[in-house]
Amino acid sequence: MGDPRLLERSKAVERFATLELSALLADMRDTMVAAKGAGLAAPQIGVGLRVVIFGFEHNQRYPDAEPVPYTELVNPVITTLVGPMEEDWEGCLSVPGLRGKVPRLARVRYTGFDPSGRPIERDVSGFHARVIQHECDHLDGILYPARMRDMRSFGFTSVLFPDAETIED
Ligand code: NI
């Protein structure tokens, strides 16, 4: 947080199935795994392209979250823009050591492409809906604190969750 590249609107990927895209995704996977993240967007490693990855079987940072299938998504679009919201805790590898309660749409439909250019369309809810909204926000230069309604629910992970030794940032 503080790096101006995290505040820019990223550009659409124009060519699929390229070595550049494969290399970018490999970098993103390595970064996400090393940081034990639930998701990552290309601007978080300094690349202003509309590419996100997310998914896990079990995540130490979000021990109560249901599994989300590992997904590499290019040029994602969230097509549901209205509906009930729910608040829950989020963290971000670009905002280390902190958590905040963020309102998000409870259910969304999203579209996009896999790295080969095949279309993806999904209707999702729960943590899957939360993570895709969080990652797509990165592509528009939005970090989760900007989505918060009540800054009293913003704090250090170690203070908010002192017993959760498995949560790391
Ligand atoms: Ni993030």
Side-chain angles (χ1 to χ4, degrees), residues 37-130:
L40 193 79
Q44 294 184 272
I45 59 167
V47 177
L49 290 172
R50 302 187 82 78
V51 178
V52 303
I53 64 172
F54 53 85
F56 53 86
E57 276 295 310
H58 177 77
N59 189 275
Q60 289 181 32
R61 285 166 53 88
Y62 302 95
D64 300 327
E66 66 273 23
V68 175
Y70 177 69
T71 303
E72 298 177 337
L73 194 61
V74 180
N75 298 344
V77 177
I78 293 170
T79 57
T80 312
L81 299 173
V82 294
M85 311 280 286
E86 52 192 32
E87 281 213 328
D88 211 341
W89 294 101
E90 287 184 25
C92 180
L93 301 179
S94 299
V95 189
L98 294 160
R99 291 293 162 107
K101 270 196 164 176
V102 185
R104 299 284 187 188
L105 288 164
R107 300 180 157 275
V108 297
R109 171 173 294 182
Y110 65 86
T111 64
F113 300 89
D114 77 6
S116 311
R118 283 184 288 260
I120 293 173
E121 178 170 2
R122 288 182 182 152
D123 291 297
V124 298
S125 59
F127 196 80
H128 194 153
R130 179 166 296 278

